[in-house]
Amino acid sequence: MVADLLLRERLTDRDLDLLAQVAGGPDDRRRAAARLRDEPGEIERLLALPQVFDALFRQSAGDPFVLASPFVAFATLLARAPALLERVTFVPERVGARRTVPVFEAPALRDLADDPLRRLFLADLLASYTHVASGAIWVRSRRGWRHRRFSELDPAKFAELILTVPPDQRPALYRRLGDLSLFLSGVFPDYAEAHPLAPIAVERLRRALASEEPRGQGPAGNGPAGNRRAGNGPAVHGRAGYGSAEPPIPDLGALAQLEAIGRRSYAFAWEATLYRDFGFAPVLAYVVQHFRHARMVLNFLTDRYLFQHRERWFPLGS
């Protein structure tokens, strides 16, 4: 299974040692760790065990990162998410600064978290933001090389870069802009609401996300085009602010803006994917349609388990 193989690639020796303690006990730890390398399907089962979850998030008063890599800590939390969501009838939905309302959408969140590849996608996303890139970079434009300041935590900088670089360099930036939108709205919604995008940033993002129309390039025109759903591809809106019935970045609050940015960014990233049934491509298509549910899964886990650690784990909190 693709998810099993991708999961095995991300585990460190320390992660395998932790899982081996659960699988074979302390005397058989080395043999159990070697077996997990050969049987990646077993890793997913172990991550979902209460013993692993308790070791990382309940028994230890310290930092879970001491026992495991950030990726495995988040993968363990997400592996337990379906069981955690099974116990609730509603989840709080943010509707503004420090305001939530109960919504009865726990089944939709369980459906998202039940899929191993979607959980892997979210664990990757969370782990990637424990270390972020920032600094000065040089980009090549039609006017030659230009010096740019860049931060992975600034949506406006992504927009500026997208508008500057050649089209063949944009897909990775679209993907990361989608990740940032999901991370901010899922883990730091309070920060996002307290630091809304400036008008100039919104305008740059409008231009960056309307700079090229999605075009179907896969078999039978599988790509999204305008407001139509084509094949199995995600449906996205046409050129926002340019004849589209719905602008891509609505003026309805920080979370609505981030959702619109994230959905459109992921749609462009999916459109540039050559093999749309491989790797994370199906997840990108899913999140375009279910961005809000992905954000609510992260909200749910952050409120319960990540909040006490997030200031230390993620640079945005410092």
Side-chain angles (χ1 to χ4, degrees):
M1 189 175 181
V2 173
D4 294 335
L5 297 176
L6 292 174
L7 180 59
R8 182 180 63 181
E9 291 175 358
R10 287 156 172 75
L11 265 61
T12 66
D13 290 340
R14 184 173 47 139
D15 297 331
L16 290 170
D17 187 63
L18 172 67
L19 296 178
Q21 292 182 50
V22 176
D27 294 335
D28 301 320
R29 190 178 304 172
R30 182 174 297 179
R31 261 184 302 173
R35 188 176 69 251
L36 290 176
R37 290 285 188 193
D38 297 329
E39 302 176 8
E42 182 72 1
I43 297 172
E44 180 69 34
R45 184 187 71 82
L46 292 174
L47 287 174
L49 290 179
Q51 298 95 307
V52 178
F53 179 81
D54 290 345
L56 291 174
F57 291 96
R58 285 182 176 159
Q59 294 173 358
S60 174
D63 191 334
F65 289 1
V66 173
L67 300 176
S69 67
F71 170 80
V72 160
F74 298 134
T76 298
L77 187 57
L78 285 156
R80 290 291 295 164
L84 296 170
L85 288 163
E86 192 71 43
R87 303 171 189 170
V88 301
T89 56
F90 65 87
V91 290
E93 165 75 302
R94 288 184 173 269
V95 294
R98 301 181 181 179
R99 293 178 55 206
T100 62
V101 296
V103 294
F104 296 88
E105 297 189 45
L109 272 58
R110 286 198 300 271
D111 179 69
L112 187 153
D114 272 334
D115 184 84
L117 198 58
R118 295 171 196 162
R119 293 197 300 269
L120 183 59
F121 177 89
L122 293 176
D124 258 352
L125 183 148
L126 291 172
S128 74
Y129 282 103
T130 58
H131 300 283
V132 297
S134 63
I137 62 173
W138 288 89
V139 297
R140 188 173 185 175
S141 69
R142 288 175 293 182
R143 299 181 179 179
W145 290 95
R146 304 180 69 179
H147 185 262
R148 299 287 191 192
R149 298 291 302 175
F150 181 74
S151 169
E152 275 199 299
L153 296 173
D154 187 344
K157 292 298 182 183
F158 272 102
E160 184 178 1
L161 206 54
I162 288 169
L163 292 168
T164 303
V165 302
D168 63 344
Q169 296 180 23
R170 292 173 186 169
L173 296 173
Y174 283 129
R175 165 66 192 275
R176 201 58 178 152
L177 179 56
D179 288 346
L180 177 58
S181 302
L182 185 51
F183 171 72
L184 290 176
S185 60
V187 180
F188 283 94
D190 46 348
Y191 178 93
E193 290 165 341
H195 299 81
L197 294 170
I200 189 172
V202 173
E203 179 55 30
R204 284 177 182 167
L205 285 159
R206 284 185 191 275
R207 291 168 53 208
L209 296 175
S211 60
E212 56 184 278
E213 190 70 24
R215 292 180 296 276
Q217 298 174 354
N222 261 355
N227 291 334
R228 301 190 307 274
R229 181 191 299 272
N232 293 322
V236 295
H237 293 283
R239 293 176 182 267
Y242 298 87
S244 172
E246 179 182 337
I249 309 176
D251 188 15
L252 298 175
L255 296 185
Q257 286 184 334
L258 287 172
E259 178 176 346
I261 293 166
R263 290 183 68 245
R264 186 124 178 119
S265 298
Y266 279 145
F268 277 126
W270 178 89
E271 180 66 23
T273 302
L274 293 177
Y275 303 101
R276 294 175 183 171
D277 294 324
F278 184 75
F280 285 129
V283 182
L284 289 176
Y286 180 89
V287 176
V288 171
Q289 298 302 313
H290 298 274
F291 187 97
R292 175 170 165 270
H293 291 144
R295 186 256 298 169
M296 291 174 69
V297 167
L298 295 182
N299 289 160
F300 175 81
L301 295 176
T302 296
D303 289 344
R304 292 199 171 201
Y305 299 104
L306 299 182
F307 190 85
Q308 62 178 322
H309 300 291
R310 67 175 189 166
E311 305 298 320
R312 183 170 67 254
W313 285 355
F314 302 112
L316 186 66
S318 58

